[in-house]
Amino acid sequence: MENILVAGGAGYIGSACVEYLLDRGFEVVVFDSLATGHRAAVDKRAEFVEGDLNDREKIISVVGEGNFSGIMHFAAYSLVGESMENPGKYFSNNLGAGINLLDAAVEGNVESFVFSSTCATYGDPTQVPIPETEKQDPINPYGESKLMFERALKWYNRIFGLKYAALRYFNAAGATGAFGEDHRPETHLIPLVLQVALGKRDAIKIFGDDYPTRDGTCVRDYIHILDLAQAHMLALEAPESGHYNLGTGNGLTVKEIIDTAREVTGHAIPAENAARRPGDPPELIGQSERAKNVLGWKPEFENAKDIIASAWEWMREHPDGYES
Ligand code: UDP
């Protein structure tokens, strides 16, 4: 029986991943500060430890006592806009506190480390779909903090032999039957659009309609959280340390997402134009052949309609998120 520590397992992607691992026979301990996660998002079959990665002694002792073969690290702040206003929060938490988890992994003789990285490490790419060989030149502190952690991983691998996989997600979206997206405040496009359909908001704001894209709005590659979860499990056994893009290879504009949500929900979803959001690259689409070829990753959700439909189903069942 493999024992896995999931840091950030009460968050959006972490909670889906914990459920996925438990369904496949892993034992899971969730370590989460609940700063942005929810206690109700932790699968009841997992052991829960409330703790902050800034508490170095605590994480070293939890990992030291747990006999974990793997660690998955989702515990981070993830808002591009916020990182442009408060960069220190991103560097101290996403990099500084994360280093405590790396030291804990080394001291606890953990074999493999799977890290939630991001396409935001590429900045404004020169090629789209983006291959892993694209230069990494972030245009916001969020992406920079994740890139710095990727670099730290490389050194922990060289110096201590810690095996790792850095998974560079594109836009995580969708829900499992039990777990979905509940950020406070919510800033992500799909849940905000669906909150309009639910009657919780009057309209969705489109942040910029003068980008150099097919309809002037930003293009993103939306990937289902269950497909991310599958990649995390496979990455535990990655044949060699390295990094992998996780995207569908297809991009949708903000307007196309709103149209698809109209189709899924049957609601008119009023939209209004607003100023660009600082730090947003025009187009992010991922080329994920490496994850398919090396990890044997087989994503199941290929179109945005199914992804949005799964998010809509969860939201209708949880109109007040985890407080429902
Ligand atoms: N977006 C938007 N209106 C909103 C929220 C987001 O137009 O109310 C846009 C945002 O500018 C970006 C895309 O939707 O181009 C996806 O944003 P999100 O915050 O969901 O994810 P990100 O790409 O920042 O990780």
Side-chain angles (χ1 to χ4, degrees):
M1 182 75 72
E2 277 200 72
N3 216 3
I4 308 295
L5 180 98
V6 180
Y12 172 43
I13 308 167
S15 62
C17 202
V18 168
E19 179 189 35
Y20 191 92
L21 290 172
L22 289 163
D23 284 348
R24 282 155 188 79
F26 290 84
E27 284 194 11
V28 177
V29 176
V30 169
F31 186 93
D32 198 299
S33 70
L34 301 181
T36 57
H38 306 271
R39 184 65 184 86
V42 179
D43 195 304
K44 291 193 170 57
R45 295 167 291 172
E47 185 187 327
F48 177 66
V49 178
E50 186 170 344
D52 192 315
L53 292 179
N54 285 298
D55 186 345
R56 186 174 167 85
E57 276 176 31
K58 181 158 187 175
I59 187 61
I60 286 177
S61 98
V62 169
V63 175
E65 288 160 16
N67 197 23
F68 297 106
S69 56
I71 289 182
M72 293 185 181
H73 176 28
F74 298 90
Y77 293 113
S78 62
L79 302 179
V80 166
E82 183 187 54
S83 81
M84 294 291 282
E85 285 160 15
N86 189 357
K89 178 173 175 181
Y90 282 73
F91 294 120
S92 65
N93 188 77
N94 294 4
L95 179 65
I99 298 297
N100 292 333
L101 184 60
L102 278 181
D103 286 335
V106 171
E107 284 195 30
N109 293 313
V110 173
E111 281 159 40
S112 72
F113 193 102
V114 183
F115 172 55
S116 293
S117 190
T118 167
C119 61
T121 58
Y122 293 117
D124 197 354
T126 57
Q127 314 170 63
V128 178
I130 307 172
E132 283 95 353
T133 49
E134 173 66 49
K135 65 166 182 24
Q136 288 180 294
D137 189 8
I139 60 169
N140 51 61
Y142 164 61
E144 190 77 64
S145 68
K146 290 281 185 173
L147 175 57
M148 287 168 150
F149 196 85
E150 280 196 10
R151 295 210 165 121
L153 274 173
K154 196 178 71 185
W155 289 106
Y156 275 69
N157 173 257
R158 276 196 207 165
I159 296 166
F160 303 113
L162 179 65
K163 277 187 6 184
Y164 75 90
L167 303 181
R168 297 179 188 152
Y169 321 152
F170 285 69
N171 284 56
T176 77
F179 303 111
E181 191 161 11
D182 180 3
H183 296 110
R184 318 256 167 139
E186 188 55 76
T187 64
H188 293 99
L189 180 63
I190 291 177
L192 286 176
V193 167
L194 294 178
Q195 283 176 6
V196 178
L198 208 59
K200 298 200 144 228
R201 286 173 197 269
D202 294 335
I204 183 75
K205 286 194 167 68
I206 297 175
F207 295 152
D209 67 347
D210 57 351
Y211 284 98
T213 60
R214 53 184 173 266
D215 63 17
T217 66
C218 286
V219 173
R220 295 288 182 272
D221 181 346
Y222 295 87
I223 176 87
H224 198 282
I225 52 173
L226 278 172
D227 286 333
L228 295 180
Q230 184 203 138
H232 281 77
M233 187 188 73
L234 295 168
L236 286 170
E237 308 284 338
E240 60 197 48
S241 290
H243 46 265
Y244 303 85
N245 282 343
L246 298 177
T248 63
N250 293 312
L252 274 91
T253 67
V254 173
K255 284 184 179 168
E256 287 163 351
I257 287 289
I258 297 169
D259 281 340
T260 309
R262 287 176 177 139
E263 223 183 294
V264 167
T265 63
H267 189 283
I269 310 184
E272 53 197 44
N273 291 335
R276 286 185 179 197
R277 188 174 67 178
D280 273 345
E283 188 172 26
L284 293 170
I285 303 174
Q287 186 181 301
S288 308
E289 298 316 307
R290 215 168 151 226
K292 290 177 187 158
N293 296 337
V294 180
L295 301 178
W297 184 52
K298 293 192 190 77
E300 286 176 17
F301 288 80
E302 280 176 352
N303 68 67
K305 195 170 171 188
D306 293 341
I307 295 177
I308 292 174
S310 75
W312 178 232
E313 198 173 315
W314 191 83
M315 197 177 268
R316 274 192 306 177
E317 276 176 28
H318 303 83
D320 297 312
Y322 284 106
E323 282 166 21
S324 297

